[in-house]
Amino acid sequence: MTAASSEDVSPERQRDAERTRAEILDAATEEFASRGYAGGRVDEIAAKTRTTKRMIYYYFSSKQGLYLAVLERAYGGIRRLEQELDVDHLDPARAMRALAELTFDHHQSHPAFIRLVSIENIHHAEHLRTSPILPTLAAPAVDVLSEILERGRDAGLFRDDVDALDVHMVISAFCVFRTANRYTFDAIFGRDMLDAEQSAHHRRMIGDLLLEYLTAHVGRA
């Protein structure tokens, strides 16, 4: 099957193609997040999207190509939110809290993203490392954090021995843990970390923890 030239593709056909591709990615996200890369079945994805395995391979070339596209879209979602976050009008402390809360909200509402990240770590990021957009997956988070940290240091609020990746690690560790370990934590301790009351408490908690760390020892000899 050969792709039609851009001149031959009508706007309606283009919209249909984009809609079909998005539907395949939606179904593939759930399939791979639930069953992993090895256990995910392209036939099952085709059945859920009322398309064919051949059509999926037309769009994504292979199962690995589809899985990589799922990963890229998942990471791209949080990176876009970070880029769109308007914190220039906020003081550094409030800006840092806003970024932590954005990550918290995203990770809680996208459990499939957390499962995909966990699965890809099992594979030592072997698929993600092949992504042509890999270099763009770090910049948004690092750039926003670096700008907030710089403003905080200039104002004499934040410590100067922490970089953007340190902060990103702290935020991610807290937010990923809640979703990735929800069921084992509940089984052992009898507490559902994603319960509404716990979520509100944890949302404040990550901001408090982060700011206490960033402001610790500032101005002390």
Side-chain angles (χ1 to χ4, degrees):
M1 183 182 295
T2 59
S5 67
S6 57
E7 291 84 358
D8 295 333
V9 178
S10 68
E12 185 58 36
R13 285 185 63 190
Q14 181 66 31
R15 284 192 294 270
D16 287 343
E18 292 172 356
R19 183 163 51 248
T20 298
R21 193 176 191 277
E23 289 173 352
I24 292 170
L25 285 173
D26 287 343
T29 295
E30 291 303 318
E31 179 72 8
F32 289 130
S34 298
R35 304 177 183 274
Y37 174 70
R41 298 179 61 242
V42 177
D43 287 333
E44 187 69 20
I45 296 167
K48 290 179 179 178
T49 54
R50 299 187 303 279
T51 184
T52 63
K53 192 172 183 178
R54 182 183 180 188
M55 180 60 70
I56 290 175
Y57 286 159
Y58 169 76
Y59 282 108
F60 301 100
S61 300
S62 63
K63 179 181 178 179
Q64 182 172 345
L66 174 59
Y67 178 70
L68 182 58
V70 166
L71 287 174
E72 290 173 341
R73 190 176 71 155
Y75 274 99
I78 181 62
R79 296 291 92 93
R80 280 191 297 275
L81 290 175
E82 291 163 346
Q83 285 183 307
E84 294 168 0
L85 184 65
D86 181 13
V87 294
D88 292 342
H89 65 291
L90 299 175
D91 66 79
R94 186 66 192 91
M96 191 63 74
R97 187 181 289 273
L99 183 60
E101 290 172 348
L102 178 144
T103 304
F104 182 96
D105 293 342
H106 173 273
H107 287 11
Q108 175 158 305
S109 61
H110 293 79
F113 170 73
I114 305 303
R115 293 196 298 271
L116 286 168
V117 172
S118 299
I119 290 165
E120 185 59 7
N121 272 288
I122 291 173
H123 292 282
H124 306 288
E126 65 177 87
H127 304 98
L128 191 61
R129 292 181 193 280
T130 68
S131 171
I133 69 168
L134 184 61
T136 70
L137 296 181
V142 173
D143 292 347
V144 173
L145 279 169
S146 296
E147 191 274 334
I148 298 172
L149 281 172
E150 183 177 357
R151 287 201 287 126
R153 290 180 185 128
D154 290 344
L157 298 173
F158 293 163
R159 58 198 299 169
D160 58 9
D161 61 341
V162 179
D163 66 17
L165 283 181
D166 291 330
V167 178
H168 179 69
M169 180 179 65
V170 170
I171 296 172
S172 293
F174 186 94
C175 296
V176 169
F177 180 91
R178 295 178 61 255
T179 300
N181 297 279
R182 175 186 187 181
Y183 298 107
T184 52
F185 197 90
D186 189 27
I188 296 170
F189 299 107
R191 174 177 290 182
D192 181 359
M193 291 186 286
L194 269 63
D195 172 81
E197 184 176 334
Q198 293 300 323
S199 293
H201 171 65
H202 289 159
R203 196 173 189 268
R204 292 189 300 273
M205 185 177 172
I206 179 56
D208 291 345
L209 288 169
L210 188 59
L211 290 175
E212 286 293 330
Y213 174 65
L214 288 174
T215 58
H217 311 301
V218 174
R220 301 178 190 175

